[in-house]
Amino acid sequence: MERKQSWNSSKLGAWCAGSVSLLMLVASLALLVLEARPYFTSGLRLDQKIAAISSGQLEPGLSFSSQTLVLDDCRQVLTSVKVRVMPSANKAPLEQHCSTVSRLIADRSPLNSYARYILALTAGSSGRGAELSDDLQASQRTAPWEAWLAGLRVELAARSFDQLTEAAQTAYRSDLTAAASSRLSLPYVVEAYGRYAAQHELITAAVEQLPPAMQSAFINQVRSSSGAAQ
């Protein structure tokens, strides 16, 4: 009798262990599908990315790389000339979905400065000045000296300067200094200087916070771009 009970207990234990293993396998496969989904729905061409976003198919997984891929696609689409000249009715689904997924990512990872930048991008595209300012500041607070991201914020803030609150304009000045400190992001500052004459004094004051060598690099690029434009 004891042997039979022991055998039944062993059988039950094996069944439970097998069930748990199966559940873990199913959960792992589901997670893998979720993580891999952006890689299959995104597409390589701009029109494919636009279709994936407007239809709501592009969704982020839980990993940093999966989320970054989705944010990259939103940035590429929303900053493209093709989308910028779209009628508002056609552009709205793109802005809405990118706003939704970037908000989801930001809620999961409050320190994801890139997600807050995409939120600012969608707000600026829709003319929501208060949200644009808030999200630019939030992105700048958590990544003040990440030059590539500061450069992206500079481009957006320079283009939308009249919509910015005073606090967001202060964050923009800090971003100008951060972006001008890197060779890779300096072109964003040079472009803002060349395109927005009303911001010359503000941009110059920000660049003057840098060491002389970096100031010289800015001046040389401004002169070079001015010469090329003539």
Side-chain angles (χ1 to χ4, degrees), residues 133-148:
S133 294
D134 289 345
D135 288 317
L136 278 175
Q137 291 176 78
S139 178
Q140 196 270 340
R141 277 196 301 270
T142 52
W145 284 98
E146 199 162 345
W148 70 273

Side-chain angles (χ1 to χ4, degrees), residues 62-127:
L62 297 176
S63 71
F64 178 79
S65 59
S66 175
Q67 293 172 359
T68 300
L69 175 65
V70 172
L71 295 174
D72 282 343
D73 281 358
C74 280
R75 176 170 64 87
Q76 183 179 346
V77 166
L78 294 179
T79 58
S80 67
V81 174
K82 182 175 182 177
V83 170
R84 284 188 182 182
V85 300
M86 273 184 180
S88 297
N90 296 344
K91 189 164 44 172
L94 299 170
E95 296 167 344
Q96 180 59 50
H97 188 64
C98 283
S99 178
T100 299
V101 296
S102 54
R103 175 64 65 188
L104 176 65
I105 293 171
D107 287 345
R108 288 176 179 170
S109 307
L111 297 181
N112 192 321
S113 304
Y114 192 23
R116 296 306 295 260
Y117 159 76
I118 299 297
L119 279 169
L121 186 62
T122 62
S125 181
S126 305

Side-chain angles (χ1 to χ4, degrees), residues 24-59:
M24 291 179 64
L25 177 61
V26 171
S28 297
L29 289 174
L31 182 60
L32 181 61
V33 170
L34 181 63
E35 287 298 311
R37 185 178 178 185
Y39 295 92
F40 294 103
T41 59
S42 173
L44 298 176
R45 301 194 311 270
L46 179 64
D47 60 329
Q48 292 174 323
K49 297 179 188 297
I50 290 174
I53 293 173
S54 62
S55 65
Q57 295 179 22
L58 189 64
E59 295 286 349

